[in-house]
Structures are given as C-alpha cells and as structure tokens.
Amino acid sequence: MQTTPQNHQAPDLAQIQAARRRLSGVIQTTPVDLSQTFSEMCGNRVFLKLENLQTTGSFKLRGAYNKIALLAGEQRRRGVIAASAGNHAQGVAYAARAHNVPCTIVMPESASLAKVAATRRYGAEVVLAGATYDEAYVRACELQSLRGATFVHAFDDAAVIAGQGTIALEVLEQVPSASAIVVPIGGGGLAAGIAVAVKSLRPDIRVIGVEAASAPAFRASLDAGRRTTVQVAPTIADGIAVAEPGRLPYRLVARLLDDVITVEEEQIARCMVLLLERSKVVAEGAAAAAVAAVAYSKLPTDMGDTVVIVSGGNVDVTMLSRIIEHGLVESGRFVRLSVTLADKPGALRSLLDVFAGLGANVLSIHHHRVGTRIALGQTEVDIDLETRDQTHIEAILKSLHEHGYLPKQMS
C-alpha cells in the first residue's frame, strides 16, 4: 500500500492548526448546543457538538480533505482510493472533487443504495466488492497497487487524524469552560486527533472514548496492553464497528485518552430517539453512542461542563423507523401484545375499553382466526400500543390479567 511520510509519525498540535487553516472556508464550524435534557440526565452541563450538520453529514470530511490537500502533483494525477461503507466514502469523494483528483471508492456490495448514490454524486467511481467492509478493503488495496493511487485510510493516517483534531480547536473556543470531551471511537482517528489537540492546549480536560459493546476493540486492546482483534457483532453503530484499532490511533489513544467505555445497543437506540425528540437532532448510531454514555450515567457526576461529539447524521431512511421503534421499546414507549379472545361480537370492544381506560393509544390491530395455537371459537389479536413508560406497560398488563385476559408481550 502506498504511504506518505505523514502515515508514520503522530501528528502534533502544529499540524492540527495547519489543517484548520487548510479547511478554512471549506468545512462548517459546526454549532454547539447546550442540552437541558442530557444535562439533567447526567448531572453535568452537557453540550452537543453537532458534526451531523457538517458538509457530507459527518466529521469525516475534515480528515479526508486535509489528506488530499497535502498530496503532491504526481500523487494528485494518479488519484486516490479508499474503502468505506458510508461517511468516509463521501468525505473522500467530496475532497477529491474539490481538488480535481480522480477518486475511487470501494464499497461492500451490502452498502445502502442511498450511500452509494451520494458517493457517486460527489464524482467518485464506486466499485462494489465483497460482502463486508473487510473484503472491500482487500479489493481497494489490490486496486491501489495496480493504479498507484494514494490510499486514504479512514483513521490510520496522520494527516487524517490531524484533520479530525480540528474539531477540538473549535470546541475549546466555543466552550472554554469545558472540563471533559466525550467522543465516539471506532478505529480511533477522531479520538486520537481530539486528544492530541486537547492535551496540548488544555491537559486538564478529560477526553473519554465511547464504543459499542458489540465492537469493543479499543477497550479490549487497552485491557490487553496491545492492539487486539475482537469479534464484531451486529450493531446500529456501524460507523464505529471496527474489529481492531488503527496502529497510529492506538498509540495516541493509549497515551492520551483518560478512559474508553462501552454502551449497549438498546442504549444507543434510545438515545437516537431522545436526540430526535428532545434536541431535534438526527444522529447516526455511532454519534448516539457517545450521547448514551451521558444519558446512562457512564460518566462521573463531577465531570463539569461536558462536550459530546455528535459525529454524524447519515442514517438510512429505511432503517430509521426500525431504529426508532427499537428505541421506543427500550424506553417503554411502545409495546406489542398478543391476546386471545372469544370470537364473538363485542369481544374486541371490551379489550379496547381496557386500553382506553388506562390511556394507552392503539396503533394497530391484527386478527388471526387460524393457527396451531388458536382453538375453535377463539381469535388471536396482536396489538401495538403507544405507552408512556415501563410503569405504564406494567399497569396495562396487570389490568388485563384482572379482566381475565392472558396477554403475551412480544419482542
């Protein structure tokens, strides 16, 4: 794989400041929002750094643009190549177009049509290869070797890390009272860049990484004292679903980060819903993972002013409804019940009266009169209910039992 000298040495504050100058007029200085909702949940003042509002929908443009801006003439002529299933692909494609550099992005065949289309709109050649990101990465390396293009790694590259670190420079200006920064961590490029900048300027500020429990590569590596490969389980935080930390990010994170913690899938899903409902923020799973650390009291209550990096907002519309439903179930805002009734007039009305009396909103009803579990003269009814919280669900189940029903709560 072709590399440049920046790949081998850790970036310093001067390189991050230089990256900021390169990015001036290109990226958005994304806003910071003081969240009353998450402040109350955390016990500290919580500020959301809204990188979901960044051009291309995530922080990835910062690092990709900085990397491509540093390429020499011959490197630009040969072009760039990257492997990605989403945000990095769009960042590289956008930056390459801005510099008139040929760009190839290898994406797994399972990549969403929306992300493939968005990457092509930025002018990249998209090659679909392999069932997973790892297989797409292998194909990208093969093409890079054949074409002599520069490989733009998503996180294991000093120029990319320096670009991501520009977020920290903005945060320190926007929230000078900050005493902690919470950042999602996958391969480690974002966390490493932020840590280098913060610890150079304000070593008193704590920097904490958050990863999905389904892909705890950094936590496992730090515990082992070396880079470790983990088995990645399916996760809605696909942006940080990395099996092994990057070499350079790991060195920086191990030295500079104060802690790395994990959050569960249900917690991530609920925070995606909370961000939508309370903050009017569309956040992808990786971004919501960092917020979940705040919402689920994973952090000390004496953290002081805490800035959470909402790293991106590129959520497939087709997935969004399922994620919202998952979050509503976890928070007790939605429940699906199966109830067996006598197949006679008025039976359903009597059941609905129970729900109405408890203030539960019926969203949908499905009847089943034929099935191995359904006796003659009976009907099975599946009902989706909008509820207030878990206590409300328990009250509904109790009332149904008192009225002689035997409800089954469905997942």
Side-chain angles (χ1 to χ4, degrees):
M1 182 184 301
Q2 180 175 331
T3 60
T4 61
Q6 289 94 338
N7 290 91
H8 303 296
Q9 296 181 352
D12 57 19
L13 177 62
Q15 288 172 293
I16 294 173
Q17 292 169 329
R20 190 181 192 186
R21 291 190 292 272
R22 288 185 201 100
L23 293 170
S24 177
V26 177
I27 64 164
Q28 307 293 324
T29 298
T30 52
V32 170
D33 178 55
L34 173 60
S35 171
Q36 295 298 331
T37 296
F38 294 108
S39 295
E40 292 171 3
M41 296 177 78
C42 182
N44 305 301
R45 285 209 307 172
V46 173
F47 299 81
L48 304 177
K49 173 65 169 168
L50 300 176
E51 279 294 293
N52 61 307
L53 301 180
Q54 187 56 262
T55 305
T56 74
S58 88
F59 74 95
K60 289 288 190 177
L61 176 61
R62 295 174 183 262
Y65 192 96
N66 189 52
K67 172 70 176 179
I68 293 172
L70 289 169
L71 297 180
E74 179 61 18
Q75 290 175 314
R76 293 192 179 197
R77 187 188 69 78
R78 289 179 178 271
V80 296
I81 191 166
S84 171
N87 291 343
H88 182 58
Q90 294 175 63
V92 172
Y94 184 99
R97 184 179 67 177
H99 290 89
N100 197 29
V101 172
C103 175
T104 301
I105 305 294
V106 183
M107 306 179 78
E109 294 169 354
S110 59
S112 74
L113 294 177
K115 291 181 179 179
V116 171
T119 304
R120 284 180 172 145
R121 279 198 302 272
Y122 290 127
E125 173 194 356
V126 175
V127 176
L128 298 178
T132 65
Y133 166 79
D134 289 334
E135 293 177 4
Y137 178 82
V138 170
R139 180 55 180 158
C141 292
E142 292 171 351
L143 290 175
Q144 184 272 332
S145 180
L146 290 171
R147 300 178 180 181
T150 296
F151 198 96
V152 182
H153 200 284
F155 48 83
D156 208 355
D157 184 288
V160 170
I161 292 171
Q164 320 303 28
T166 60
I167 294 176
L169 301 182
E170 294 177 14
V171 167
L172 295 179
E173 293 172 357
Q174 293 170 314
V175 191
S177 61
S179 58
I181 298 177
V182 181
V183 54
I185 184 169
L190 176 61
I194 287 176
V196 169
V198 169
K199 296 301 183 178
S200 298
L201 294 168
R202 289 280 307 277
D204 57 300
I205 294 179
R206 285 183 276 189
V207 181
I208 297 173
V210 182
E211 58 188 355
S214 299
F218 259 99
R219 186 64 269 163
S221 296
L222 293 172
D223 290 343
R226 57 180 173 78
R227 290 172 64 238
T228 300
T229 302
V230 301
Q231 185 69 39
V232 176
T235 174
I236 56 176
D238 58 337
I240 52 174
V242 175
E244 184 180 45
R247 289 179 175 84
L248 181 52
Y250 176 74
R251 281 166 37 203
L252 294 169
V253 166
R255 179 166 59 90
L256 298 174
L257 249 67
D258 293 275
D259 199 5
V260 173
I261 60 179
T262 62
V263 291
E264 302 295 332
E265 290 299 295
E266 292 78 9
Q267 297 169 342
I268 297 171
R270 186 186 180 197
C271 282
M272 292 180 74
V273 175
L274 280 172
L275 284 163
L276 275 170
E277 192 171 48
R278 303 290 184 86
S279 302
K280 315 308 176 203
V281 169
V282 177
E284 60 193 65
V291 179
V294 168
Y296 283 87
S297 303
K298 301 280 187 175
L299 307 177
T301 56
D302 62 348
M303 290 280 282
D305 287 358
T306 301
V307 179
V308 183
I309 310 300
V310 180
S311 55
N314 291 321
V315 187
D316 289 341
V317 174
T318 54
M319 286 289 294
L320 191 57
S321 63
R322 281 178 281 174
I323 291 169
I324 290 173
E325 181 177 303
H326 189 80
L328 290 174
V329 169
E330 198 279 332
S331 61
R333 300 278 303 282
F334 174 90
V335 66
R336 178 168 293 156
L337 301 176
S338 177
V339 183
T340 299
L341 306 175
D343 190 8
K344 63 180 183 180
L348 179 58
R349 173 61 182 271
S350 298
L351 176 64
L352 295 179
D353 285 344
V354 176
F355 297 136
L358 292 168
N361 186 32
V362 177
L363 301 176
S364 66
I365 301 174
H366 299 279
H367 285 82
H368 307 280
R369 286 187 168 83
V370 178
T372 57
R373 299 177 304 172
I374 304 173
L376 290 173
Q378 291 186 327
T379 182
E380 188 176 67
V381 181
D382 296 335
I383 301 180
D384 292 343
L385 296 174
E386 181 182 16
T387 51
R388 292 189 294 272
D389 50 32
Q390 193 61 44
T391 301
H392 191 200
I393 293 174
E394 292 170 0
I396 292 168
L397 293 173
K398 180 181 178 182
S399 181
L400 288 173
H401 281 286
E402 290 174 348
H403 283 80
Y405 298 105
L406 297 175
K408 297 175 183 177
Q409 190 168 343
M410 304 167 65
S411 58

